[in-house]
mmCIF file with all atom_site columns, all heavy atoms in Angstrom:
data_model
loop_
_atom_site.group_PDB
_atom_site.id
_atom_site.type_symbol
_atom_site.label_atom_id
_atom_site.label_alt_id
_atom_site.label_comp_id
_atom_site.label_asym_id
_atom_site.label_entity_id
_atom_site.label_seq_id
_atom_site.pdbx_PDB_ins_code
_atom_site.Cartn_x
_atom_site.Cartn_y
_atom_site.Cartn_z
_atom_site.occupancy
_atom_site.B_iso_or_equiv
_atom_site.pdbx_formal_charge
_atom_site.auth_seq_id
_atom_site.auth_comp_id
_atom_site.auth_asym_id
_atom_site.auth_atom_id
_atom_site.pdbx_PDB_model_num
ATOM 1   N N   . LEU A 1 7   ? -3.431  -66.632 27.806 1.00 92.00 ? 26  LEU A N   1
ATOM 2   C CA  . LEU A 1 7   ? -3.296  -65.592 26.786 1.00 92.00 ? 26  LEU A CA  1
ATOM 3   C C   . LEU A 1 7   ? -3.981  -66.009 25.488 1.00 92.00 ? 26  LEU A C   1
ATOM 4   O O   . LEU A 1 7   ? -4.505  -65.174 24.757 1.00 92.00 ? 26  LEU A O   1
ATOM 5   C CB  . LEU A 1 7   ? -1.815  -65.293 26.529 1.00 92.00 ? 26  LEU A CB  1
ATOM 6   C CG  . LEU A 1 7   ? -1.117  -64.519 27.656 1.00 92.00 ? 26  LEU A CG  1
ATOM 7   C CD1 . LEU A 1 7   ? 0.375   -64.416 27.380 1.00 92.00 ? 26  LEU A CD1 1
ATOM 8   C CD2 . LEU A 1 7   ? -1.709  -63.125 27.824 1.00 92.00 ? 26  LEU A CD2 1
ATOM 9   N N   . VAL A 1 57  ? -5.858  -53.063 24.342 1.00 97.00 ? 76  VAL A N   1
ATOM 10  C CA  . VAL A 1 57  ? -4.818  -53.261 25.362 1.00 97.00 ? 76  VAL A CA  1
ATOM 11  C C   . VAL A 1 57  ? -3.457  -53.345 24.681 1.00 97.00 ? 76  VAL A C   1
ATOM 12  O O   . VAL A 1 57  ? -2.525  -53.937 25.203 1.00 97.00 ? 76  VAL A O   1
ATOM 13  C CB  . VAL A 1 57  ? -5.094  -54.549 26.178 1.00 97.00 ? 76  VAL A CB  1
ATOM 14  C CG1 . VAL A 1 57  ? -6.414  -54.441 26.935 1.00 97.00 ? 76  VAL A CG1 1
ATOM 15  C CG2 . VAL A 1 57  ? -5.107  -55.793 25.285 1.00 97.00 ? 76  VAL A CG2 1
ATOM 16  N N   . ASP A 1 59  ? 0.158   -53.204 23.171 1.00 96.00 ? 78  ASP A N   1
ATOM 17  C CA  . ASP A 1 59  ? 1.457   -52.942 23.790 1.00 96.00 ? 78  ASP A CA  1
ATOM 18  C C   . ASP A 1 59  ? 2.516   -53.040 22.700 1.00 96.00 ? 78  ASP A C   1
ATOM 19  O O   . ASP A 1 59  ? 2.666   -54.093 22.102 1.00 96.00 ? 78  ASP A O   1
ATOM 20  C CB  . ASP A 1 59  ? 1.703   -53.981 24.889 1.00 96.00 ? 78  ASP A CB  1
ATOM 21  C CG  . ASP A 1 59  ? 3.101   -53.888 25.470 1.00 96.00 ? 78  ASP A CG  1
ATOM 22  O OD1 . ASP A 1 59  ? 3.621   -52.769 25.591 1.00 96.00 ? 78  ASP A OD1 1
ATOM 23  O OD2 . ASP A 1 59  ? 3.663   -54.960 25.789 1.00 96.00 ? 78  ASP A OD2 1
ATOM 24  N N   . ILE A 1 95  ? -9.299  -47.048 31.265 1.00 98.00 ? 114 ILE A N   1
ATOM 25  C CA  . ILE A 1 95  ? -8.771  -47.528 32.547 1.00 98.00 ? 114 ILE A CA  1
ATOM 26  C C   . ILE A 1 95  ? -7.293  -47.152 32.552 1.00 98.00 ? 114 ILE A C   1
ATOM 27  O O   . ILE A 1 95  ? -6.534  -47.582 31.675 1.00 98.00 ? 114 ILE A O   1
ATOM 28  C CB  . ILE A 1 95  ? -8.962  -49.045 32.693 1.00 98.00 ? 114 ILE A CB  1
ATOM 29  C CG1 . ILE A 1 95  ? -10.455 -49.386 32.679 1.00 98.00 ? 114 ILE A CG1 1
ATOM 30  C CG2 . ILE A 1 95  ? -8.289  -49.541 33.992 1.00 98.00 ? 114 ILE A CG2 1
ATOM 31  C CD1 . ILE A 1 95  ? -10.755 -50.875 32.608 1.00 98.00 ? 114 ILE A CD1 1
ATOM 32  N N   . GLU A 1 97  ? -3.553  -46.460 34.564 1.00 97.00 ? 116 GLU A N   1
ATOM 33  C CA  . GLU A 1 97  ? -2.702  -46.813 35.710 1.00 97.00 ? 116 GLU A CA  1
ATOM 34  C C   . GLU A 1 97  ? -2.259  -45.520 36.396 1.00 97.00 ? 116 GLU A C   1
ATOM 35  O O   . GLU A 1 97  ? -1.817  -44.576 35.728 1.00 97.00 ? 116 GLU A O   1
ATOM 36  C CB  . GLU A 1 97  ? -1.484  -47.603 35.208 1.00 97.00 ? 116 GLU A CB  1
ATOM 37  C CG  . GLU A 1 97  ? -0.589  -48.127 36.314 1.00 97.00 ? 116 GLU A CG  1
ATOM 38  C CD  . GLU A 1 97  ? 0.676   -48.812 35.773 1.00 97.00 ? 116 GLU A CD  1
ATOM 39  O OE1 . GLU A 1 97  ? 0.949   -48.695 34.556 1.00 97.00 ? 116 GLU A OE1 1
ATOM 40  O OE2 . GLU A 1 97  ? 1.385   -49.447 36.578 1.00 97.00 ? 116 GLU A OE2 1
ATOM 41  N N   . VAL A 1 131 ? -6.553  -47.058 38.344 1.00 96.00 ? 150 VAL A N   1
ATOM 42  C CA  . VAL A 1 131 ? -6.206  -48.133 39.284 1.00 96.00 ? 150 VAL A CA  1
ATOM 43  C C   . VAL A 1 131 ? -4.764  -47.931 39.751 1.00 96.00 ? 150 VAL A C   1
ATOM 44  O O   . VAL A 1 131 ? -3.985  -47.217 39.119 1.00 96.00 ? 150 VAL A O   1
ATOM 45  C CB  . VAL A 1 131 ? -6.398  -49.534 38.652 1.00 96.00 ? 150 VAL A CB  1
ATOM 46  C CG1 . VAL A 1 131 ? -7.846  -49.750 38.252 1.00 96.00 ? 150 VAL A CG1 1
ATOM 47  C CG2 . VAL A 1 131 ? -5.485  -49.736 37.457 1.00 96.00 ? 150 VAL A CG2 1
ATOM 48  N N   . GLN A 1 132 ? -4.430  -48.561 40.860 1.00 96.00 ? 151 GLN A N   1
ATOM 49  C CA  . GLN A 1 132 ? -3.119  -48.354 41.476 1.00 96.00 ? 151 GLN A CA  1
ATOM 50  C C   . GLN A 1 132 ? -1.978  -48.808 40.558 1.00 96.00 ? 151 GLN A C   1
ATOM 51  O O   . GLN A 1 132 ? -2.164  -49.648 39.686 1.00 96.00 ? 151 GLN A O   1
ATOM 52  C CB  . GLN A 1 132 ? -3.018  -49.122 42.795 1.00 96.00 ? 151 GLN A CB  1
ATOM 53  C CG  . GLN A 1 132 ? -4.093  -48.793 43.829 1.00 96.00 ? 151 GLN A CG  1
ATOM 54  C CD  . GLN A 1 132 ? -5.300  -49.721 43.714 1.00 96.00 ? 151 GLN A CD  1
ATOM 55  O OE1 . GLN A 1 132 ? -5.618  -50.230 42.639 1.00 96.00 ? 151 GLN A OE1 1
ATOM 56  N NE2 . GLN A 1 132 ? -5.988  -49.921 44.827 1.00 96.00 ? 151 GLN A NE2 1
ATOM 57  N N   . GLY A 1 134 ? 0.768   -50.755 38.940 1.00 97.00 ? 153 GLY A N   1
ATOM 58  C CA  . GLY A 1 134 ? 0.957   -52.200 38.867 1.00 97.00 ? 153 GLY A CA  1
ATOM 59  C C   . GLY A 1 134 ? -0.331  -52.990 38.730 1.00 97.00 ? 153 GLY A C   1
ATOM 60  O O   . GLY A 1 134 ? -0.300  -54.209 38.606 1.00 97.00 ? 153 GLY A O   1
ATOM 61  N N   . LYS A 1 135 ? -1.491  -52.308 38.721 1.00 97.00 ? 154 LYS A N   1
ATOM 62  C CA  . LYS A 1 135 ? -2.770  -53.024 38.605 1.00 97.00 ? 154 LYS A CA  1
ATOM 63  C C   . LYS A 1 135 ? -3.361  -52.934 37.201 1.00 97.00 ? 154 LYS A C   1
ATOM 64  O O   . LYS A 1 135 ? -4.429  -53.486 36.923 1.00 97.00 ? 154 LYS A O   1
ATOM 65  C CB  . LYS A 1 135 ? -3.770  -52.498 39.641 1.00 97.00 ? 154 LYS A CB  1
ATOM 66  C CG  . LYS A 1 135 ? -3.317  -52.685 41.084 1.00 97.00 ? 154 LYS A CG  1
ATOM 67  C CD  . LYS A 1 135 ? -3.121  -54.155 41.427 1.00 97.00 ? 154 LYS A CD  1
ATOM 68  C CE  . LYS A 1 135 ? -2.756  -54.333 42.897 1.00 97.00 ? 154 LYS A CE  1
ATOM 69  N NZ  . LYS A 1 135 ? -2.491  -55.744 43.236 1.00 97.00 ? 154 LYS A NZ  1
ATOM 70  N N   . ALA A 1 136 ? -2.710  -52.160 36.330 1.00 98.00 ? 155 ALA A N   1
ATOM 71  C CA  . ALA A 1 136 ? -3.038  -52.155 34.905 1.00 98.00 ? 155 ALA A CA  1
ATOM 72  C C   . ALA A 1 136 ? -1.742  -51.754 34.214 1.00 98.00 ? 155 ALA A C   1
ATOM 73  O O   . ALA A 1 136 ? -0.800  -51.301 34.880 1.00 98.00 ? 155 ALA A O   1
ATOM 74  C CB  . ALA A 1 136 ? -4.144  -51.162 34.582 1.00 98.00 ? 155 ALA A CB  1
ATOM 75  N N   . ASP A 1 137 ? -1.681  -51.926 32.905 1.00 98.00 ? 156 ASP A N   1
ATOM 76  C CA  . ASP A 1 137 ? -0.448  -51.577 32.197 1.00 98.00 ? 156 ASP A CA  1
ATOM 77  C C   . ASP A 1 137 ? -0.660  -50.289 31.405 1.00 98.00 ? 156 ASP A C   1
ATOM 78  O O   . ASP A 1 137 ? -1.192  -50.310 30.301 1.00 98.00 ? 156 ASP A O   1
ATOM 79  C CB  . ASP A 1 137 ? -0.029  -52.726 31.285 1.00 98.00 ? 156 ASP A CB  1
ATOM 80  C CG  . ASP A 1 137 ? 1.382   -52.518 30.730 1.00 98.00 ? 156 ASP A CG  1
ATOM 81  O OD1 . ASP A 1 137 ? 2.073   -51.594 31.200 1.00 98.00 ? 156 ASP A OD1 1
ATOM 82  O OD2 . ASP A 1 137 ? 1.774   -53.276 29.822 1.00 98.00 ? 156 ASP A OD2 1
ATOM 83  N N   . LYS A 1 138 ? -0.337  -49.174 31.994 1.00 98.00 ? 157 LYS A N   1
ATOM 84  C CA  . LYS A 1 138 ? -0.438  -47.825 31.410 1.00 98.00 ? 157 LYS A CA  1
ATOM 85  C C   . LYS A 1 138 ? -1.888  -47.425 31.141 1.00 98.00 ? 157 LYS A C   1
ATOM 86  O O   . LYS A 1 138 ? -2.476  -46.692 31.912 1.00 98.00 ? 157 LYS A O   1
ATOM 87  C CB  . LYS A 1 138 ? 0.398   -47.704 30.141 1.00 98.00 ? 157 LYS A CB  1
ATOM 88  C CG  . LYS A 1 138 ? 1.895   -47.917 30.371 1.00 98.00 ? 157 LYS A CG  1
ATOM 89  C CD  . LYS A 1 138 ? 2.650   -47.680 29.101 1.00 98.00 ? 157 LYS A CD  1
ATOM 90  C CE  . LYS A 1 138 ? 3.839   -48.544 28.872 1.00 98.00 ? 157 LYS A CE  1
ATOM 91  N NZ  . LYS A 1 138 ? 3.769   -49.957 29.034 1.00 98.00 ? 157 LYS A NZ  1
ATOM 92  N N   . ILE A 1 139 ? -2.450  -47.866 30.015 1.00 98.00 ? 158 ILE A N   1
ATOM 93  C CA  . ILE A 1 139 ? -3.820  -47.443 29.706 1.00 98.00 ? 158 ILE A CA  1
ATOM 94  C C   . ILE A 1 139 ? -4.504  -48.492 28.833 1.00 98.00 ? 158 ILE A C   1
ATOM 95  O O   . ILE A 1 139 ? -3.881  -49.065 27.933 1.00 98.00 ? 158 ILE A O   1
ATOM 96  C CB  . ILE A 1 139 ? -3.813  -46.051 29.009 1.00 98.00 ? 158 ILE A CB  1
ATOM 97  C CG1 . ILE A 1 139 ? -5.235  -45.540 28.764 1.00 98.00 ? 158 ILE A CG1 1
ATOM 98  C CG2 . ILE A 1 139 ? -3.006  -46.062 27.730 1.00 98.00 ? 158 ILE A CG2 1
ATOM 99  C CD1 . ILE A 1 139 ? -5.311  -44.075 28.356 1.00 98.00 ? 158 ILE A CD1 1
ATOM 100 N N   . PHE A 1 140 ? -5.744  -48.771 29.166 1.00 98.00 ? 159 PHE A N   1
ATOM 101 C CA  . PHE A 1 140 ? -6.600  -49.625 28.342 1.00 98.00 ? 159 PHE A CA  1
ATOM 102 C C   . PHE A 1 140 ? -7.786  -48.760 27.902 1.00 98.00 ? 159 PHE A C   1
ATOM 103 O O   . PHE A 1 140 ? -8.296  -47.972 28.703 1.00 98.00 ? 159 PHE A O   1
ATOM 104 C CB  . PHE A 1 140 ? -7.145  -50.819 29.136 1.00 98.00 ? 159 PHE A CB  1
ATOM 105 C CG  . PHE A 1 140 ? -6.084  -51.721 29.737 1.00 98.00 ? 159 PHE A CG  1
ATOM 106 C CD1 . PHE A 1 140 ? -6.309  -52.340 30.968 1.00 98.00 ? 159 PHE A CD1 1
ATOM 107 C CD2 . PHE A 1 140 ? -4.885  -51.975 29.077 1.00 98.00 ? 159 PHE A CD2 1
ATOM 108 C CE1 . PHE A 1 140 ? -5.353  -53.184 31.532 1.00 98.00 ? 159 PHE A CE1 1
ATOM 109 C CE2 . PHE A 1 140 ? -3.920  -52.826 29.639 1.00 98.00 ? 159 PHE A CE2 1
ATOM 110 C CZ  . PHE A 1 140 ? -4.158  -53.429 30.873 1.00 98.00 ? 159 PHE A CZ  1
ATOM 111 N N   . ARG A 1 334 ? -1.942  -58.959 22.986 1.00 92.00 ? 353 ARG A N   1
ATOM 112 C CA  . ARG A 1 334 ? -1.968  -57.495 23.019 1.00 92.00 ? 353 ARG A CA  1
ATOM 113 C C   . ARG A 1 334 ? -1.503  -56.848 21.716 1.00 92.00 ? 353 ARG A C   1
ATOM 114 O O   . ARG A 1 334 ? -0.737  -55.911 21.704 1.00 92.00 ? 353 ARG A O   1
ATOM 115 C CB  . ARG A 1 334 ? -1.177  -57.002 24.242 1.00 92.00 ? 353 ARG A CB  1
ATOM 116 C CG  . ARG A 1 334 ? -1.766  -57.592 25.514 1.00 92.00 ? 353 ARG A CG  1
ATOM 117 C CD  . ARG A 1 334 ? -1.060  -57.154 26.759 1.00 92.00 ? 353 ARG A CD  1
ATOM 118 N NE  . ARG A 1 334 ? -1.142  -55.714 26.905 1.00 92.00 ? 353 ARG A NE  1
ATOM 119 C CZ  . ARG A 1 334 ? -0.452  -55.042 27.818 1.00 92.00 ? 353 ARG A CZ  1
ATOM 120 N NH1 . ARG A 1 334 ? 0.367   -55.691 28.626 1.00 92.00 ? 353 ARG A NH1 1
ATOM 121 N NH2 . ARG A 1 334 ? -0.575  -53.750 27.911 1.00 92.00 ? 353 ARG A NH2 1
ATOM 122 N N   . ILE G 1 95  ? -11.556 -57.326 30.161 1.00 98.00 ? 100 ILE G N   1
ATOM 123 C CA  . ILE G 1 95  ? -10.097 -57.420 30.128 1.00 98.00 ? 100 ILE G CA  1
ATOM 124 C C   . ILE G 1 95  ? -9.713  -58.331 31.284 1.00 98.00 ? 100 ILE G C   1
ATOM 125 O O   . ILE G 1 95  ? -10.010 -58.032 32.446 1.00 98.00 ? 100 ILE G O   1
ATOM 126 C CB  . ILE G 1 95  ? -9.447  -56.032 30.265 1.00 98.00 ? 100 ILE G CB  1
ATOM 127 C CG1 . ILE G 1 95  ? -9.870  -55.147 29.082 1.00 98.00 ? 100 ILE G CG1 1
ATOM 128 C CG2 . ILE G 1 95  ? -7.924  -56.160 30.338 1.00 98.00 ? 100 ILE G CG2 1
ATOM 129 C CD1 . ILE G 1 95  ? -9.451  -53.693 29.218 1.00 98.00 ? 100 ILE G CD1 1
ATOM 130 N N   . ILE G 1 96  ? -9.119  -59.460 30.950 1.00 97.00 ? 101 ILE G N   1
ATOM 131 C CA  . ILE G 1 96  ? -8.866  -60.499 31.956 1.00 97.00 ? 101 ILE G CA  1
ATOM 132 C C   . ILE G 1 96  ? -7.367  -60.697 32.103 1.00 97.00 ? 101 ILE G C   1
ATOM 133 O O   . ILE G 1 96  ? -6.625  -60.682 31.114 1.00 97.00 ? 101 ILE G O   1
ATOM 134 C CB  . ILE G 1 96  ? -9.542  -61.824 31.527 1.00 97.00 ? 101 ILE G CB  1
ATOM 135 C CG1 . ILE G 1 96  ? -11.028 -61.596 31.207 1.00 97.00 ? 101 ILE G CG1 1
ATOM 136 C CG2 . ILE G 1 96  ? -9.384  -62.887 32.607 1.00 97.00 ? 101 ILE G CG2 1
ATOM 137 C CD1 . ILE G 1 96  ? -11.746 -62.840 30.681 1.00 97.00 ? 101 ILE G CD1 1
ATOM 138 N N   . GLU G 1 97  ? -6.938  -60.891 33.341 1.00 97.00 ? 102 GLU G N   1
ATOM 139 C CA  . GLU G 1 97  ? -5.528  -61.185 33.608 1.00 97.00 ? 102 GLU G CA  1
ATOM 140 C C   . GLU G 1 97  ? -5.289  -62.677 33.357 1.00 97.00 ? 102 GLU G C   1
ATOM 141 O O   . GLU G 1 97  ? -6.069  -63.532 33.805 1.00 97.00 ? 102 GLU G O   1
ATOM 142 C CB  . GLU G 1 97  ? -5.208  -60.841 35.078 1.00 97.00 ? 102 GLU G CB  1
ATOM 143 C CG  . GLU G 1 97  ? -3.739  -60.993 35.438 1.00 97.00 ? 102 GLU G CG  1
ATOM 144 C CD  . GLU G 1 97  ? -3.481  -60.752 36.926 1.00 97.00 ? 102 GLU G CD  1
ATOM 145 O OE1 . GLU G 1 97  ? -4.450  -60.638 37.698 1.00 97.00 ? 102 GLU G OE1 1
ATOM 146 O OE2 . GLU G 1 97  ? -2.295  -60.690 37.309 1.00 97.00 ? 102 GLU G OE2 1
ATOM 147 N N   . GLU G 1 98  ? -4.240  -62.959 32.620 1.00 96.00 ? 103 GLU G N   1
ATOM 148 C CA  . GLU G 1 98  ? -3.821  -64.342 32.390 1.00 96.00 ? 103 GLU G CA  1
ATOM 149 C C   . GLU G 1 98  ? -3.779  -65.091 33.730 1.00 96.00 ? 103 GLU G C   1
ATOM 150 O O   . GLU G 1 98  ? -3.297  -64.556 34.728 1.00 96.00 ? 103 GLU G O   1
ATOM 151 C CB  . GLU G 1 98  ? -2.409  -64.299 31.771 1.00 96.00 ? 103 GLU G CB  1
ATOM 152 C CG  . GLU G 1 98  ? -1.782  -65.631 31.506 1.00 96.00 ? 103 GLU G CG  1
ATOM 153 C CD  . GLU G 1 98  ? -0.313  -65.489 31.060 1.00 96.00 ? 103 GLU G CD  1
ATOM 154 O OE1 . GLU G 1 98  ? 0.244   -64.364 31.138 1.00 96.00 ? 103 GLU G OE1 1
ATOM 155 O OE2 . GLU G 1 98  ? 0.263   -66.498 30.640 1.00 96.00 ? 103 GLU G OE2 1
ATOM 156 N N   . VAL G 1 130 ? -7.141  -60.660 26.875 1.00 95.00 ? 135 VAL G N   1
ATOM 157 C CA  . VAL G 1 130 ? -6.385  -61.237 27.984 1.00 95.00 ? 135 VAL G CA  1
ATOM 158 C C   . VAL G 1 130 ? -5.007  -60.580 27.990 1.00 95.00 ? 135 VAL G C   1
ATOM 159 O O   . VAL G 1 130 ? -4.366  -60.481 26.941 1.00 95.00 ? 135 VAL G O   1
ATOM 160 C CB  . VAL G 1 130 ? -6.248  -62.770 27.828 1.00 95.00 ? 135 VAL G CB  1
ATOM 161 C CG1 . VAL G 1 130 ? -5.494  -63.360 29.020 1.00 95.00 ? 135 VAL G CG1 1
ATOM 162 C CG2 . VAL G 1 130 ? -7.610  -63.431 27.691 1.00 95.00 ? 135 VAL G CG2 1
ATOM 163 N N   . VAL G 1 131 ? -4.582  -60.107 29.161 1.00 96.00 ? 136 VAL G N   1
ATOM 164 C CA  . VAL G 1 131 ? -3.240  -59.522 29.276 1.00 96.00 ? 136 VAL G CA  1
ATOM 165 C C   . VAL G 1 131 ? -2.403  -60.375 30.231 1.00 96.00 ? 136 VAL G C   1
ATOM 166 O O   . VAL G 1 131 ? -2.943  -61.154 31.023 1.00 96.00 ? 136 VAL G O   1
ATOM 167 C CB  . VAL G 1 131 ? -3.286  -58.045 29.753 1.00 96.00 ? 136 VAL G CB  1
ATOM 168 C CG1 . VAL G 1 131 ? -4.040  -57.172 28.762 1.00 96.00 ? 136 VAL G CG1 1
ATOM 169 C CG2 . VAL G 1 131 ? -3.904  -57.939 31.141 1.00 96.00 ? 136 VAL G CG2 1
ATOM 170 N N   . GLN G 1 132 ? -1.102  -60.226 30.141 1.00 96.00 ? 137 GLN G N   1
ATOM 171 C CA  . GLN G 1 132 ? -0.192  -61.065 30.916 1.00 96.00 ? 137 GLN G CA  1
ATOM 172 C C   . GLN G 1 132 ? -0.376  -60.879 32.430 1.00 96.00 ? 137 GLN G C   1
ATOM 173 O O   . GLN G 1 132 ? -0.855  -59.841 32.878 1.00 96.00 ? 137 GLN G O   1
ATOM 174 C CB  . GLN G 1 132 ? 1.270   -60.727 30.561 1.00 96.00 ? 137 GLN G CB  1
ATOM 175 C CG  . GLN G 1 132 ? 1.632   -60.869 29.099 1.00 96.00 ? 137 GLN G CG  1
ATOM 176 C CD  . GLN G 1 132 ? 1.468   -59.560 28.328 1.00 96.00 ? 137 GLN G CD  1
ATOM 177 O OE1 . GLN G 1 132 ? 0.630   -58.729 28.669 1.00 96.00 ? 137 GLN G OE1 1
ATOM 178 N NE2 . GLN G 1 132 ? 2.246   -59.388 27.274 1.00 96.00 ? 137 GLN G NE2 1
ATOM 179 N N   . VAL G 1 133 ? 0.053   -61.894 33.156 1.00 96.00 ? 138 VAL G N   1
ATOM 180 C CA  . VAL G 1 133 ? 0.026   -61.839 34.623 1.00 96.00 ? 138 VAL G CA  1
ATOM 181 C C   . VAL G 1 133 ? 0.671   -60.535 35.094 1.00 96.00 ? 138 VAL G C   1
ATOM 182 O O   . VAL G 1 133 ? 1.745   -60.161 34.622 1.00 96.00 ? 138 VAL G O   1
ATOM 183 C CB  . VAL G 1 133 ? 0.820   -63.022 35.224 1.00 96.00 ? 138 VAL G CB  1
ATOM 184 C CG1 . VAL G 1 133 ? 0.932   -62.870 36.744 1.00 96.00 ? 138 VAL G CG1 1
ATOM 185 C CG2 . VAL G 1 133 ? 0.154   -64.337 34.887 1.00 96.00 ? 138 VAL G CG2 1
ATOM 186 N N   . GLY G 1 134 ? -0.016  -59.840 35.983 1.00 96.00 ? 139 GLY G N   1
ATOM 187 C CA  . GLY G 1 134 ? 0.553   -58.615 36.548 1.00 96.00 ? 139 GLY G CA  1
ATOM 188 C C   . GLY G 1 134 ? 0.281   -57.375 35.715 1.00 96.00 ? 139 GLY G C   1
ATOM 189 O O   . GLY G 1 134 ? 0.658   -56.275 36.108 1.00 96.00 ? 139 GLY G O   1
ATOM 190 N N   . LYS G 1 135 ? -0.387  -57.535 34.560 1.00 97.00 ? 140 LYS G N   1
ATOM 191 C CA  . LYS G 1 135 ? -0.660  -56.365 33.715 1.00 97.00 ? 140 LYS G CA  1
ATOM 192 C C   . LYS G 1 135 ? -2.107  -55.873 33.862 1.00 97.00 ? 140 LYS G C   1
ATOM 193 O O   . LYS G 1 135 ? -2.510  -54.899 33.227 1.00 97.00 ? 140 LYS G O   1
ATOM 194 C CB  . LYS G 1 135 ? -0.359  -56.687 32.247 1.00 97.00 ? 140 LYS G CB  1
ATOM 195 C CG  . LYS G 1 135 ? 1.107   -57.051 31.990 1.00 97.00 ? 140 LYS G CG  1
ATOM 196 C CD  . LYS G 1 135 ? 2.039   -55.901 32.350 1.00 97.00 ? 140 LYS G CD  1
ATOM 197 C CE  . LYS G 1 135 ? 3.493   -56.271 32.036 1.00 97.00 ? 140 LYS G CE  1
ATOM 198 N NZ  . LYS G 1 135 ? 4.403   -55.182 32.440 1.00 97.00 ? 140 LYS G NZ  1
ATOM 199 N N   . ALA G 1 136 ? -2.910  -56.598 34.621 1.00 98.00 ? 141 ALA G N   1
ATOM 200 C CA  . ALA G 1 136 ? -4.238  -56.123 35.018 1.00 98.00 ? 141 ALA G CA  1
ATOM 201 C C   . ALA G 1 136 ? -4.523  -56.817 36.343 1.00 98.00 ? 141 ALA G C   1
ATOM 202 O O   . ALA G 1 136 ? -3.799  -57.749 36.719 1.00 98.00 ? 141 ALA G O   1
ATOM 203 C CB  . ALA G 1 136 ? -5.303  -56.492 33.993 1.00 98.00 ? 141 ALA G CB  1
ATOM 204 N N   . ASP G 1 137 ? -5.553  -56.368 37.072 1.00 98.00 ? 142 ASP G N   1
ATOM 205 C CA  . ASP G 1 137 ? -5.853  -56.991 38.354 1.00 98.00 ? 142 ASP G CA  1
ATOM 206 C C   . ASP G 1 137 ? -7.097  -57.854 38.212 1.00 98.00 ? 142 ASP G C   1
ATOM 207 O O   . ASP G 1 137 ? -8.218  -57.352 38.288 1.00 98.00 ? 142 ASP G O   1
ATOM 208 C CB  . ASP G 1 137 ? -6.032  -55.906 39.421 1.00 98.00 ? 142 ASP G CB  1
ATOM 209 C CG  . ASP G 1 137 ? -6.079  -56.505 40.821 1.00 98.00 ? 142 ASP G CG  1
ATOM 210 O OD1 . ASP G 1 137 ? -5.769  -57.704 40.969 1.00 98.00 ? 142 ASP G OD1 1
ATOM 211 O OD2 . ASP G 1 137 ? -6.427  -55.767 41.759 1.00 98.00 ? 142 ASP G OD2 1
ATOM 212 N N   . LYS G 1 138 ? -6.910  -59.126 37.946 1.00 98.00 ? 143 LYS G N   1
ATOM 213 C CA  . LYS G 1 138 ? -7.965  -60.133 37.804 1.00 98.00 ? 143 LYS G CA  1
ATOM 214 C C   . LYS G 1 138 ? -8.879  -59.872 36.605 1.00 98.00 ? 143 LYS G C   1
ATOM 215 O O   . LYS G 1 138 ? -8.729  -60.469 35.562 1.00 98.00 ? 143 LYS G O   1
ATOM 216 C CB  . LYS G 1 138 ? -8.792  -60.254 39.088 1.00 98.00 ? 143 LYS G CB  1
ATOM 217 C CG  . LYS G 1 138 ? -7.988  -60.699 40.301 1.00 98.00 ? 143 LYS G CG  1
ATOM 218 C CD  . LYS G 1 138 ? -8.894  -60.843 41.484 1.00 98.00 ? 143 LYS G CD  1
ATOM 219 C CE  . LYS G 1 138 ? -8.287  -60.532 42.811 1.00 98.00 ? 143 LYS G CE  1
ATOM 220 N NZ  . LYS G 1 138 ? -7.629  -59.242 43.017 1.00 98.00 ? 143 LYS G NZ  1
ATOM 221 N N   . PHE G 1 140 ? -11.400 -56.671 34.588 1.00 98.00 ? 145 PHE G N   1
ATOM 222 C CA  . PHE G 1 140 ? -12.069 -55.376 34.462 1.00 98.00 ? 145 PHE G CA  1
ATOM 223 C C   . PHE G 1 140 ? -13.209 -55.574 33.457 1.00 98.00 ? 145 PHE G C   1
ATOM 224 O O   . PHE G 1 140 ? -13.033 -56.273 32.455 1.00 98.00 ? 145 PHE G O   1
ATOM 225 C CB  . PHE G 1 140 ? -11.121 -54.299 33.911 1.00 98.00 ? 145 PHE G CB  1
ATOM 226 C CG  . PHE G 1 140 ? -9.874  -54.057 34.746 1.00 98.00 ? 145 PHE G CG  1
ATOM 227 C CD1 . PHE G 1 140 ? -8.670  -53.736 34.118 1.00 98.00 ? 145 PHE G CD1 1
ATOM 228 C CD2 . PHE G 1 140 ? -9.897  -54.125 36.133 1.00 98.00 ? 145 PHE G CD2 1
ATOM 229 C CE1 . PHE G 1 140 ? -7.515  -53.497 34.863 1.00 98.00 ? 145 PHE G CE1 1
ATOM 230 C CE2 . PHE G 1 140 ? -8.751  -53.882 36.893 1.00 98.00 ? 145 PHE G CE2 1
ATOM 231 C CZ  . PHE G 1 140 ? -7.555  -53.570 36.253 1.00 98.00 ? 145 PHE G CZ  1
#
Side-chain angles (χ1 to χ4, degrees):
Chain A
L26 287 173
V76 297
D78 173 36
I114 298 171
E116 185 185 11
V150 299
Q151 303 92 331
K154 299 299 184 183
D156 191 10
K157 298 184 215 48
I158 184 168
F159 302 146
R353 302 180 61 189
Chain G
I100 298 172
I101 307 176
E102 185 185 9
E103 178 187 9
V135 182
V136 298
Q137 303 93 330
V138 173
K140 298 299 182 183
D142 191 11
K143 298 182 212 54
F145 301 145

